[in-house]
Amino acid sequence: MVVRNATTEDAAALAVLKVAWAGRPNHPGPEEMRSFSNDIASWMTAEGDSLIARVAERDGALVGMAWLVIFDRVPDFHDRSRSTGDIQSVFVLPEFRQHGVGRALVDSLLEAADERGILRVTVSANEAAAQLYVKAGFRSAPLLLERRLDRQDVLAP
């Protein structure tokens, strides 16, 4: 298995992984997948240096993905250039889990964050993945709060 940078050329395979990550009961049709793949490629291009995407590849096929979205924070007096990274959509195909693939992907993102001097990296984990992040050095942040609305609440007239 190899962990490498994802490119827009991986967009079709990334779209398949992202649909699997979301656990959709009905797999989208070919036209929907083509459109979704194009949207992923366009988003990757638009994000530029604010995105680090890694994939795990085995025998030429993608078996996992992980994303680090980087954003600037409000400057502090003594730290004028602050960035935060948020790990998102880490996914490994079920048949490749429990073999270190997820850990290799997360470690790769954290190494990239360290190389960029990003001091704060966050992740929202489910119960099944929480231990992976704890082993990678993450700690619970009890005062981290979030506000979530349903999409229809935002789009309502």
Side-chain angles (χ1 to χ4, degrees):
M1 185 216 38
V2 173
V3 172
R4 63 170 176 80
N5 286 324
T7 69
T8 55
E9 293 175 5
D10 295 313
L14 286 166
V16 170
L17 289 173
K18 189 72 167 121
V19 167
W21 171 88
R24 288 188 57 157
N26 299 323
H27 192 76
E31 186 56 39
E32 289 175 298
M33 287 302 290
R34 209 171 3 265
S35 174
F36 184 42
S37 172
N38 289 339
D39 287 345
I40 288 174
S42 295
W43 179 77
M44 290 173 73
T45 299
E47 289 300 307
D49 287 341
S50 295
L51 173 69
I52 298 171
R54 298 285 200 259
V55 292
E57 183 178 46
R58 182 168 179 198
D59 299 326
L62 298 191
V63 301
M65 65 177 179
W67 308 78
L68 180 69
V69 178
I70 302 162
F71 55 94
D72 291 331
R73 299 179 68 200
V74 176
D76 278 346
F77 185 79
H78 294 291
D79 188 1
R80 309 280 171 103
S81 178
R82 302 184 325 147
S83 294
T84 291
D86 186 55
I87 293 179
Q88 302 177 5
S89 300
V90 176
F91 179 76
V92 176
L93 292 172
E95 59 269 29
F96 295 96
R97 293 178 185 163
Q98 303 302 317
H99 297 288
V101 177
R103 179 64 192 261
L105 287 164
V106 169
D107 285 349
S108 177
L109 292 179
L110 294 175
E111 288 169 13
D114 292 348
E115 289 170 5
R116 290 189 182 200
I118 298 170
L119 302 179
R120 183 172 187 249
V121 177
T122 61
V123 65
S124 295
N126 60 32
E127 289 292 324
Q131 198 58 30
L132 164 72
Y133 298 109
V134 169
K135 288 179 181 176
F138 285 83
R139 298 292 172 255
S140 179
L143 295 180
L144 179 63
L145 307 172
E146 71 177 358
R147 175 182 180 239
R148 284 194 183 199
L149 297 175
D150 289 333
R151 189 169 295 278
Q152 66 265 15
D153 293 337
V154 175
L155 300 176

